[in-house]
Amino acid sequence: MRSASPPPPGSPSGSRTSCFQPSSVSSEATVPIVEPADSCTGGYGCTAAPEPEPVELVVDPESGPEDKSVLTPLVTNGCIKYPGVERETWTRQMDFIMSCVGFAVGLGNIWRFPYLCYKNGGGVFLIPYLLIVLVGGIPVFFLEIALGQFMKQGGVGAWNIAPLFKGLGFASMVIVFFCNTYYIMVLAWGLYYLVHSFTNNLPWATCGNSWNTPECTEDFRHSQCYNRTAGNFSAGCHELANKRSPIIEFWERRVLRISDGIDQLGTIHWQMLLCVLATWVIVYFCIWKGVKSTGKVVYFTALFPYLVLVILLAHGVSLPGALDGIIYYLKPDWSKLGEAQVWIDAGTQIFFSYAIGLGALTALGSYNRFHNNCYRDAYLLALINSTTSFFSGFVVFSVLGFMASEQGVDISKVAESGPGLAFIAYPKAVTLMPIAPLWAALFFFMLLVLGLDSQFVGVEGFITGILDLIPNSMVGGVRREVVVAICCLVCFIIDLSMVTNGGMYIFQLFDYYSASGITLLWQAFWECVVVAWVYGADRFVSDIAWMIGYRPLPWIKWCWLFITPSVCVGIFLFHIVNYKPLNYNKTYVYPWWAEALGWALALSSMVCIPATVVVKMLCCHGSLRERWQHLTTPVWGAHHLQYLTMETSLKYLAADGAAQGKQKETTI
């Protein structure tokens, strides 16, 4: 007689009675569908089931030549749930790679990493950066992709691996919703600059426009800035200090039309409103049909920026002063290694640029085929991400070196980060180049495309989470196109506040708090704790080996268990201890109520994790141990059952063959 069949993947060996023994059914057999128990019963089996109806299990979804939507039963704690629609998969695996590249490689690689590298010791910054990539970036990046691929669920449903901590999914949904809402503004600004680049004379290159003030001046060369001398006089340096650049005036008075504070929202800028609307329309029509359409669009949006970066670098290194800029970018300052801020900047940059904690990587991984080698993909994507960051530094600092040479100032005076680089420093550099409109249009088109693919995948991850929350019985009646339209419309309505005169203050509030380093570090910490300590690091490594055919290197497990959580806690505490109130342009300090609103945005995601744990524990019945056992028991899907059934059958065949062979040897 055969022994009792093993539990589903990763479940404890001593689990309680279940309604269904997976190994007792072959891929051709029929199994009963029983009503799932919605209430907690302390983890002891399932509630009474109605009269079973036979349902044929589907074959391996990877075996067909093309993907089709078929009904498959779902398994909850060993019990079959209502039939659901089989998950869509990528047409080609390269679609997944391109989508991850498009999402993770974004504006932060272009406008933040080069600045941090120069600020924190040049080439020396690569030492802490690469170390934290190995112990923090790659382990969490791989964890999120593997989790999505294994569970075949988005950012929320994937945490059925430990249902008590499903708040991790809700937290990621909140964060990515905020990101989708305010990140679109960067694209709208880029589109606005792009439209204004198609002119003979760039509007931000000269004074005398309707938005310029009497303090506007086009000449800031220090070689022409000197005090009174006998027989010769030019405006003194103290007088030039009160003058304003036409680039800054175009940015603040034409693009932003910024007011004096967040309490003065003013009116809506209709031209900027049209830019926001246009970008949302582009996003909608690129993702409304799902990963089949998104996977095709990202081939262009992910690859085109690299072509533009190569062109800009080829042009940049030919400019006077470019070599000085590149040397300034890479020149090592070994004393910086002893400063804590350098290591904190490295860790924060990695969590930002790798798009960790947003749930979008989990959603992308959920569309992979079950046996895809996600381990190899994680290393490849990490290499692409970090290499892009490093390469973009040459592009940026070759141009900044040229700009410093033209203005006769030190490079430190023109080095910028964030929007200051994209909308002030680089536009200023373009005005000094021959055929300025061409280079301006090329740069801002790259900026727009670079941001669009990140926006595509961010919205796709949010939509995936929403659709995974819809009950299986309602899936057929919900149109994806309608859900995408509603989500885009809600975000657009919130964006109306950011196209007002006080919109920049609101944008900065979202950027500083809602998706800040604090929230992402909090999210990454709990992801590692739940997978490594609650579900079990060894169990998850075994599940990965089940998918890819071999076990990852042991250091990945040790990172999940100890190193990565410690890194997250260290950087998190440093952020808290060194917290500084938000300000704009180092002059305007936000009022207390705006600070409170910002912390509300941050806590709205962070509180999801403990709140969900408390609510689930209170709503459960039984002793504390029974509640924990029930709520940390994974909820398996039909694909786990199918692969387990085939694998178990092969094991039993092998075991029976070995037993018969041994019996023959004994007889002989």
Side-chain angles (χ1 to χ4, degrees), residues 190-213:
L191 180 60
Y192 190 85
Y193 272 86
L194 176 63
V195 171
H196 284 78
S197 297
F198 296 104
T199 57
N200 291 329
N201 297 311
L202 296 175
W204 58 81
T206 60
C207 298
N209 301 289
S210 59
W211 57 83
N212 291 127
T213 64

Side-chain angles (χ1 to χ4, degrees), residues 78-117:
C79 303
I80 305 299
K81 285 181 67 175
Y82 293 111
V85 178
E86 185 184 337
R87 195 168 194 81
E88 191 177 17
T89 57
W90 301 104
T91 304
R92 293 172 295 275
Q93 195 55 35
M94 187 55 66
D95 295 356
F96 166 71
I97 298 295
M98 289 294 103
S99 296
C100 286
V101 169
F103 181 61
V105 178
L107 298 175
N109 300 75
I110 306 298
W111 71 21
R112 195 165 186 268
F113 176 85
Y115 174 80
L116 290 178
C117 195

Side-chain angles (χ1 to χ4, degrees), residues 140 351 521-522 524-525 528 563-573:
V140 183
F351 281 94
L521 290 165
W522 174 265
F525 169 80
C528 292
I563 303 175
T564 305
S566 300
V567 170
C568 292
V569 169
I571 301 176
F572 180 88
L573 293 177

Side-chain angles (χ1 to χ4, degrees), residues 451-564:
L452 273 175
D453 52 9
S454 297
Q455 188 75 6
F456 291 158
V457 182
V459 176
E460 178 63 47
F462 183 75
I463 298 299
T464 299
I466 292 292
L467 293 176
D468 287 346
L469 290 174
I470 298 175
N472 294 321
S473 57
M474 296 175 56
V475 168
V478 177
R479 291 181 60 85
R480 175 188 169 88
E481 295 88 340
V482 176
V483 176
V484 175
I486 293 173
C487 291
C488 291
L489 180 61
V490 171
C491 291
F492 175 74
I493 292 173
I494 298 175
D495 288 333
L496 294 178
S497 64
M498 300 185 194
V499 294
T500 60
N501 301 121
M504 183 58 179
Y505 301 108
I506 298 177
F507 169 85
Q508 198 175 38
L509 202 65
F510 272 78
D511 183 50
Y512 193 76
Y513 289 102
S514 66
S516 65
I518 291 177
T519 57
L520 297 182
L521 290 165
W522 174 265
Q523 185 80 1
F525 169 80
W526 282 108
E527 286 181 3
C528 292
V529 168
V530 172
V531 170
W533 292 97
V534 178
Y535 180 73
D538 288 322
R539 293 167 66 186
F540 193 58
V541 168
S542 298
D543 295 337
I544 293 170
W546 185 35
M547 291 191 296
I548 67 176
Y550 60 92
R551 298 175 71 86
L553 292 174
W555 75 269
I556 285 284
K557 183 183 74 172
W558 293 112
C559 285
W560 290 339
L561 283 167
F562 306 108
I563 303 175
T564 305

Side-chain angles (χ1 to χ4, degrees), residues 68-398:
K68 298 192 180 291
S69 294
V70 294
L71 293 179
T72 60
L74 298 178
V75 185
T76 307
N77 291 339
C79 303
I80 305 299
K81 285 181 67 175
Y82 293 111
V85 178
E86 185 184 337
R87 195 168 194 81
E88 191 177 17
T89 57
W90 301 104
T91 304
R92 293 172 295 275
Q93 195 55 35
M94 187 55 66
D95 295 356
F96 166 71
I97 298 295
M98 289 294 103
S99 296
C100 286
V101 169
F103 181 61
V105 178
L107 298 175
N109 300 75
I110 306 298
W111 71 21
R112 195 165 186 268
F113 176 85
Y115 174 80
L116 290 178
C117 195
Y118 124 78
K119 170 190 168 187
N120 293 306
V124 170
F125 181 69
L126 296 177
I127 296 176
Y129 178 84
L130 292 176
L131 282 176
I132 298 180
V133 162
L134 292 175
V135 302
I138 292 177
V140 183
F141 191 86
F142 172 51
L143 183 150
E144 293 192 0
I145 293 176
L147 182 64
Q149 180 173 312
F150 180 66
M151 295 301 293
K152 289 290 184 183
Q153 293 285 306
V156 178
W159 293 104
N160 282 330
I161 199 169
L164 179 62
F165 295 92
K166 209 168 183 178
L168 273 164
F170 296 125
S172 67
M173 290 275 286
V174 173
I175 296 173
V176 80
F177 173 75
F178 287 145
C179 283
N180 294 338
T181 301
Y182 80 84
Y183 190 81
I184 201 80
M185 289 303 304
V186 180
L187 310 185
W189 294 332
L191 180 60
Y192 190 85
Y193 272 86
L194 176 63
V195 171
H196 284 78
S197 297
F198 296 104
T199 57
N200 291 329
N201 297 311
L202 296 175
W204 58 81
T206 60
C207 298
N209 301 289
S210 59
W211 57 83
N212 291 127
T213 64
E215 288 75 27
C216 179
T217 182
E218 302 170 24
D219 191 1
F220 276 93
R221 285 188 62 89
H222 281 207
S223 59
Q224 298 175 4
C225 169
Y226 52 88
N227 291 322
R228 251 180 248 273
T229 58
N232 191 11
F233 171 76
S234 177
C237 292
H238 65 282
E239 295 177 4
L240 282 181
N242 297 323
K243 297 293 184 179
R244 290 171 59 84
S245 164
I247 293 96
I248 295 178
E249 291 206 340
F250 180 82
W251 168 242
E252 293 187 347
R253 296 178 60 83
R254 179 64 175 175
V255 179
L256 301 179
R257 302 188 181 185
I258 194 166
S259 65
D260 293 330
I262 193 173
D263 54 344
Q264 301 177 24
L265 289 182
T267 58
I268 291 178
H269 183 188
W270 69 268
Q271 291 179 326
M272 191 56 62
L273 178 64
L274 291 178
C275 290
V276 174
L277 179 61
T279 50
W280 272 120
V281 170
I282 294 172
V283 170
Y284 174 78
F285 283 107
C286 286
I287 69 168
W288 70 323
K289 290 297 184 181
V291 295
K292 301 296 185 184
S293 61
T294 307
K296 294 177 176 61
V297 173
V298 293
Y299 276 89
F300 172 74
T301 57
L303 295 177
F304 178 77
Y306 287 96
L307 174 62
V308 177
L309 284 174
V310 171
I311 295 174
L312 291 176
L313 178 62
H315 177 67
V317 295
S318 66
L319 298 172
L323 182 60
D324 294 334
I326 293 174
I327 292 175
Y328 199 83
Y329 168 54
L330 296 176
K331 185 178 180 180
D333 182 359
W334 296 99
S335 64
K336 291 286 187 178
L337 284 178
E339 298 180 10
Q341 185 64 50
V342 174
W343 295 82
I344 300 304
D345 284 345
T348 305
Q349 170 63 16
I350 289 165
F351 281 94
F352 270 115
S353 64
Y354 278 48
I356 289 170
L358 302 179
L361 294 174
T362 305
L364 293 178
S366 71
Y367 297 115
N368 280 337
R369 298 186 184 279
F370 189 76
H371 288 306
N372 171 62
N373 193 339
C374 54
Y375 185 57
R376 174 201 59 202
D377 292 347
Y379 279 98
L380 175 62
L381 291 167
L383 178 64
I384 294 173
N385 192 310
S386 297
T387 303
T388 303
S389 297
F390 184 64
F391 175 75
S392 64
F394 291 91
V395 179
V396 170
F397 273 85
S398 64

Side-chain angles (χ1 to χ4, degrees), residues 622-645:
S623 66
L624 189 61
R625 183 176 181 179
E626 290 171 345
R627 298 181 194 188
W628 174 267
Q629 181 180 1
H630 177 84
L631 292 173
T632 56
T633 301
V635 179
W636 301 120
H639 63 286
H640 295 120
L641 175 65
Q642 295 163 21
Y643 288 111
L644 179 68
T645 301

